Amino acid sequence: MSPETGETFQLDVRRLEPPEPLERILDTLADMPRDARLRVVHRREPFPLYDLLRRLGYQWHTEGADEYFEILIRS
Amino acid sequence: MLNTAGLSLDQAPPIRVPFAFFLAAPFFVLLAGVLLLWQGEAVLLTRWSPSALALTHLIALGFLTQVMLGALFQMLPVLIGARVPGATWIASLVQGCLILGTLALVAGLQWGGTVRLSLGAGALALGLTLFMGAAGVALARGRGAPRTLQAMRLALFGLLMTLLLGVLLVAGLLGVPIGGLTAWVDLHLGWALLGWVGMLILGVGYQVVPMFHVTPAYPAWLARSAAWLILSGLLIATAFTLMGWSGAAVWGFGPAVGVLAVFAVVTLDRQRRRVRPRIDVTLLHWWSAMLSALLAALVWLFGGRPELIGVLVLIGVGLGLPSGMLFKIMPFLSWFHLQHRQVAARRFDVRLPHMQAFIPERSARVQFGLHLGALSALTSAAIWPDKTWSAGLMALGALMLMGAAALLSRLQFDCYGRYLEIGRRL
């Protein structure tokens, strides 16, 4: 499935306490169509998220540094 | 480039690895309470009494180092994306050595004896070296959070120096002639409190304060220079001590104490500017620990009683801060491991409780109250050790200390029990 076809969902979790960012990301992924992408704005690199994404069959790409990270997730 | 090299929980240690450290730690505080009840006056009259040395190590090694090592085995992957190799078996070995070494060393400091002291120093040297090796590999591989990585690497060096000086001091107690023993004790203390504990609080604080309480990040000027300033100060103090100018070592300790005091002020300021105005028990513990650290720095600056500094640093910071962090870390790990198991088993029908359900806030606040009571009573007893009422205050402090440790332990076991119960359904 081409990542360009689907809609891109946005999620900013920078003002949430752990583990809410992880919960919100998983909830949003569960609710959105399979061809959609999710762009997450996070204040730290979410290492604990990656293994869950892998297990759930998602691919991701992270960019950013210091206080601003963008994680693009798609199936 | 798609990133697939993230943390794998299959490779991270099972939850029982850090929990074994966390669950064991309060028992050493109970022992410390018994020692205080039994030898209270001697402890606060002079820091050179056998009981004061024994008590210091019960808390510093049995509680503080125990919690810190357990947390590092689990949190290194979460904070910096670096795994500790062979964590499961290394952790058990490290913990076995730490418990045996602490008990033997404490018994040796209290009652003397070549076998106790050698066994204590030997077991601690083995366990801590193993830990430093394993954590060193993880820290060398770590890639995230450069300031935290830097502080943690330097903290590990601080632990190494503390250990080397500790072994040297045990050799001194066993009869090896060492000139200027008190200067070496001060250096051992300096590396332990500033180089190991202080540096680790910096490294962990840079991450967990902004993360758990959603505060602004620490300012770059502080994060860039703090760890190096502390290291430089301690190296200067070491050089002066080696050259026999122990009086000048204070010129090294001063900057290190100053940096940590600045860190404490900045931490309180960050927390004041948190996004959500809610106050939780972890925040209360942070406040009380940072204020204790600032008070200790002031007492040190004005040449106050070392026993008072000891109470503020060991009880106020060394007991309080890890307790506060455990109230976050244990529920977080329980929730996090269950979340992974749920995804792995695809059992989305099982509802996971909120993180807050693992340790009730109300009970945790009672624990904080007991801790604060113990801290206040023991601080007062350390300020006025020779008043008629100071023995009673000391006994009250010891009992509250034991109460706080017992409640902490109870809440920890409840948390683990809840984890196991939900885990069985997944």
Side-chain angles (χ1 to χ4, degrees):
Chain A
M1 196 174 293
S2 163
E4 281 73 33
T5 55
E7 186 185 352
T8 299
F9 286 68
Q10 308 283 345
L11 186 60
D12 184 346
V13 297
R14 281 176 298 169
R15 292 166 77 88
L16 301 179
E17 287 175 46
E20 279 180 64
L22 194 57
E23 288 176 317
R24 293 277 183 95
I25 293 167
L26 294 178
D27 286 350
T28 311
L29 286 173
D31 290 343
M32 68 186 210
R34 288 299 282 181
D35 65 339
R37 299 183 297 176
L38 175 63
R39 183 186 302 279
V40 180
V41 181
H42 209 305
R43 63 201 306 246
R44 46 182 295 109
E45 184 160 14
F47 293 111
L49 172 71
Y50 295 155
D51 189 48
L52 289 170
L53 290 181
R54 189 174 52 75
R55 284 170 185 268
L56 290 166
Y58 288 98
Q59 294 183 301
W60 67 93
H61 175 68
T62 304
E63 275 179 9
D66 300 329
E67 284 280 280
Y68 189 91
F69 289 89
E70 276 190 19
I71 306 107
L72 187 65
I73 306 168
R74 63 179 171 88
S75 51
Chain B
M1 184 193 79
L2 282 168
N3 187 348
T4 52
L7 162 72
S8 165
L9 205 71
D10 300 332
Q11 296 170 323
I15 199 167
R16 64 185 151 80
V17 169
F19 272 31
F21 284 87
F22 300 157
L23 293 171
F27 289 97
F28 287 88
V29 184
L30 288 174
L31 282 180
V34 172
L35 188 64
L36 259 179
L37 280 178
W38 172 48
Q39 292 279 323
E41 274 178 78
V43 170
L44 289 197
L45 268 180
T46 165
R47 70 172 176 132
W48 301 107
S49 68
S51 313
L53 296 174
L55 188 83
T56 301
H57 288 86
L58 273 176
I59 293 177
L61 288 169
F63 185 81
L64 179 56
T65 298
Q66 181 115 238
V67 172
M68 295 203 302
L69 296 194
L72 282 175
F73 272 114
Q74 179 69 55
M75 295 308 273
L76 281 180
V78 178
L79 290 183
I80 59 172
R83 188 170 65 86
V84 182
T88 308
W89 68 268
I90 289 184
S92 307
L93 210 56
V94 167
Q95 192 180 17
C97 289
L98 180 66
I99 290 176
L100 175 69
T102 303
L103 291 174
L105 180 74
V106 165
L109 290 170
Q110 178 69 47
W111 294 294
T114 308
V115 176
R116 292 185 192 121
L117 285 168
S118 327
L119 180 65
L124 286 167
L126 178 65
L128 294 177
T129 305
L130 260 174
F131 169 76
M132 287 185 283
V137 171
L139 286 169
R141 288 180 187 160
R143 58 201 174 86
R147 298 299 170 211
T148 290
L149 261 177
Q150 177 200 64
M152 285 189 172
R153 285 173 183 151
L154 295 180
L156 223 54
F157 180 68
L159 179 62
L160 176 67
M161 290 299 289
T162 308
L163 173 66
L164 289 175
L165 288 162
V167 170
L168 178 82
L169 290 170
V170 167
L173 286 176
L174 292 176
V176 177
I178 297 167
L181 197 69
T182 56
W184 293 105
V185 172
D186 284 343
L187 197 60
H188 171 67
L189 257 175
W191 278 103
L193 297 178
L194 306 166
W196 162 231
V197 180
M199 199 84 88
L200 199 59
I201 292 176
L202 280 188
V204 176
Y206 293 155
Q207 293 282 313
V208 299
V209 169
M211 181 170 86
F212 277 127
H213 292 110
V214 196
T215 74
Y218 280 81
W221 56 265
L222 181 75
R224 206 170 36 234
S225 55
W228 288 111
L229 282 171
I230 293 174
L231 180 75
S232 314
L234 289 172
L235 287 176
I236 290 169
T238 307
F240 281 142
T241 307
L242 274 171
M243 291 186 284
W245 306 337
S246 51
V250 71
W251 293 104
F253 292 134
V257 171
V259 169
L260 283 170
V262 170
F263 172 82
V265 172
V266 171
T267 299
L268 291 171
D269 174 64
R270 299 288 113 170
Q271 288 169 337
R272 191 178 56 80
R273 290 157 55 186
R274 67 196 183 281
V275 168
R276 292 184 181 183
R278 204 163 53 83
I279 293 172
D280 64 18
V281 71
T282 302
L283 199 60
L284 292 173
H285 267 298
W286 265 96
W287 286 346
S288 125
M290 291 301 104
L291 290 174
S292 299
L294 283 173
L295 264 177
L298 280 177
V299 175
W300 182 82
L301 187 64
F302 291 106
R305 300 192 69 229
E307 294 76 19
L308 174 59
I309 301 175
V311 169
L312 289 169
V313 172
L314 281 175
I315 313 280
V317 183
L319 263 183
L321 202 50
S323 302
M325 291 312 300
L326 284 173
F327 288 139
K328 277 275 192 246
I329 293 173
M330 292 188 71
F332 180 72
L333 288 179
S334 302
W335 177 87
F336 179 57
H337 278 257
L338 287 171
Q339 180 81 53
H340 271 262
R341 286 175 64 166
Q342 185 181 45
V343 168
R346 304 208 165 251
R347 288 294 308 274
F348 298 107
D349 54 315
V350 177
R351 231 178 80 83
L352 295 187
H354 286 295
M355 192 178 117
Q356 292 77 9
F358 287 91
I359 294 183
E361 174 76 11
R362 185 190 290 262
S363 313
R365 285 194 183 214
V366 174
Q367 197 277 343
F368 173 73
L370 285 167
H371 165 76
L372 206 57
L375 178 61
S376 314
L378 294 174
T379 301
S380 312
I383 298 175
W384 301 285
D386 42 10
K387 300 275 188 224
T388 46
W389 39 262
S390 46
L393 208 56
M394 167 91 71
L396 178 70
L399 287 172
M400 290 176 96
L401 197 70
M402 293 168 78
L407 185 52
L408 174 63
S409 178
R410 168 75 198 272
L411 294 174
Q412 288 180 322
F413 275 100
D414 282 355
C415 172
Y416 192 39
R418 213 153 286 156
Y419 165 82
L420 291 175
E421 182 209 319
I422 300 163
R424 274 193 288 272
R425 288 191 268 146
L426 287 171

